[in-house]
Amino acid sequence: MASRVELTINGRKVTAAAKTTVLEAALANGIYIPHLCHHKDLVPSGVCRLCLVEVNGKWTAISCKTPVEQGFVVRTETPEIQAVRKVAVELLIADHQTNCLACGASTDCGLQRVARHVGVDQDRLRRLKRRAQPLPLDESNPFFTFDPNRCVLCGICVRTCEEIERVSAIDYTFRGPATKIAGFGDKARIESACESCGECIVRCPVGALTPKDALPPTHETRTVCTFCGCGCGMYLGARDGKLVRSRGDEASAASRGRLCVKGRFGYHFVNHPDRLKAPLVRKNGALVETTWDEALDLVAEKFGAHKGDAFAVIASAKCTTEENYLLQKFTRAVMGTNNIDHCARL
Ligand code: FES
């Protein structure tokens, strides 16, 4: 089987890797097909029905679930497809919270992108509106807010939780116009199995899932998370000399863009006023700040008095592999004991 196939999209000959979908082939060649529920990391679900295309002048297909075939002739904008898409988008927007200026996704919103492309009719939107009152926000999680009024039911969060995190904390609940994404029993998110990794927030195409302290950074630094020994790649974003955001590094071989709750939301300790910035020694029963020289002299003196099995070490996952290697070497060769363990095993 050839590794690439040739097809025609909107009269343009393009090539695409075999086994990719028509939507991926179009996007890779700079041809926009409206879509909301597609995400490159997830198995296609075909729930938004926006990526309809005509294939070979004969049938209509969901492009995110249709694999490319040699010689396909695809049209993305026939009058029939445009009409169906318009209704699908209007139904989504009719009950959608549209105060975009107050939305965290305002400058990068999948729904805005689709609506701009398809065009919407304000009179029809008013007629389609079904909800008289907005639904309550779920702010139970300390790190993020879920706003069901901005949710487009694309299911990307559900599939992220299931396919990537293997947690399945949330799913579609209720039926018809009452459908929403929720945890088991429609309880608050904090009562679900959610591990607060934030992977769903990263993939949400609209502003339904937003971090609670979402200040945009003015610059970012590529680094490695120090919370444990996994070595996940991350970008730390800063603003006015303080860390305001952490995001996964897609190029990291260790984590491929993913982070856990600690890596994504646990950076506040860096600027916390209680953080120790100088060594403390106990004097007259109280801990007082001192210089590194005095602290290290004191530790060296105490080491001398506790050689052998009177001494023990707990190594830290916050240290590098090299630092941990040196620590066990020091423990065994200098202090003369095998009493060494590591916090990752505890
Ligand atoms: Fe294909 Fe949603 S992107 S159905």
Side-chain angles (χ1 to χ4, degrees):
M1 189 180 171
S3 63
R4 293 193 74 78
V5 298
E6 195 173 84
L7 65 160
T8 306
I9 305 179
N10 295 343
R12 225 179 98 196
K13 283 221 179 314
V14 299
T15 63
K19 294 191 182 160
T20 54
T21 64
V22 172
L23 177 62
E24 287 165 336
L27 295 177
N29 283 282
I31 300 166
Y32 179 67
I33 299 175
H35 57 278
L36 264 182
C37 68
H38 163 78
H39 194 284
K40 66 179 176 52
D41 300 339
L42 304 169
V43 177
S45 63
V47 296
C48 76
R49 321 304 278 183
L50 296 178
C51 67
L52 288 176
V53 293
E54 182 200 85
V55 181
N56 293 344
K58 290 186 184 146
W59 69 89
T60 306
I62 300 286
S63 64
C64 68
K65 283 178 81 87
T66 305
V68 288
E69 280 183 28
Q70 177 67 28
F72 259 6
V73 177
V74 175
R75 290 206 299 158
T76 68
E77 299 290 341
T78 69
E80 296 77 19
I81 285 171
Q82 285 171 335
V84 173
R85 249 190 223 143
K86 203 164 152 69
V87 173
V89 174
E90 285 173 349
L91 281 168
L92 280 176
I93 297 178
D95 279 321
H96 189 83
Q97 185 71 263
T98 49
N99 56 344
C100 296
L101 287 179
C103 177
S106 175
T107 52
D108 186 23
C109 173
L111 187 58
Q112 276 184 12
R113 225 171 356 255
V114 167
R116 263 198 303 272
H117 180 89
V118 173
V120 289
D121 182 326
Q122 292 297 337
D123 283 341
R124 278 159 56 88
L125 283 186
R126 271 189 285 279
R127 285 205 306 278
L128 288 169
K129 195 164 181 61
R130 292 164 294 185
R131 241 181 250 143
Q133 293 298 325
L135 298 168
L137 308 192
D138 183 343
E139 305 206 69
S140 60
N141 188 290
F143 306 114
F144 65 86
T145 300
F146 172 59
D147 182 350
N149 306 293
R150 296 192 196 278
C151 177
V152 289
L153 300 174
C154 64
I156 285 178
C157 54
V158 174
R159 284 177 285 143
T160 298
C161 200
E162 183 182 332
E163 293 172 25
I164 296 181
E165 292 305 310
R166 306 277 177 205
V167 172
S168 298
I170 47 173
D171 208 334
Y172 289 93
T173 54
F174 304 107
R175 295 279 173 106
T179 306
K180 67 173 190 168
I181 308 291
F184 184 70
D186 195 22
K187 293 196 183 126
R189 290 282 160 122
I190 198 67
E191 292 182 56
S192 73
C194 173
E195 294 176 356
S196 306
C197 65
E199 290 294 323
C200 55
I201 304 174
V202 174
R203 291 176 180 79
C204 178
V206 290
L209 285 161
T210 45
K212 281 195 167 155
D213 46 0
L215 274 181
T218 50
H219 61 281
E220 289 186 313
T221 304
R222 189 176 182 218
T223 184
V224 174
C225 181
T226 57
F227 266 109
C228 77
C230 290
C232 298
M234 64 181 355
Y235 283 90
L236 288 176
R239 186 189 182 100
D240 298 330
K242 289 200 168 129
L243 291 188
V244 292
R245 189 176 75 183
S246 154
R247 68 180 176 91
D249 175 8
E250 297 244 341
S252 161
S255 53
R256 287 172 288 153
R258 291 169 56 191
L259 291 174
C260 73
V261 58
K262 292 182 282 183
R264 190 176 310 283
F265 299 115
Y267 54 83
H268 293 95
F269 76 91
V270 175
N271 298 114
H272 198 282
D274 291 346
R275 186 178 173 195
L276 291 183
K277 295 189 181 136
L280 302 178
V281 295
R282 198 173 296 280
K283 286 184 180 164
N284 301 324
L287 286 170
V288 290
E289 269 193 18
T290 187
T291 62
W292 280 107
D293 279 346
E294 187 186 345
L296 291 174
D297 283 349
L298 182 67
V299 171
E301 184 189 320
K302 300 228 169 188
F303 277 178
H306 294 86
K307 286 219 168 172
D309 285 344
F311 183 81
V313 166
I314 301 291
S316 170
K318 283 182 183 288
C319 301
T320 62
T321 308
E322 293 79 3
E323 287 162 346
N324 276 311
Y325 173 79
L326 283 177
L327 191 57
Q328 69 81 31
K329 202 75 182 160
F330 171 79
T331 306
R332 293 194 168 102
V334 179
M335 300 305 288
T337 177
N338 287 325
N339 287 343
I340 179 158
D341 212 327
H342 191 276
C343 70
R345 291 192 343 111
L346 303 180

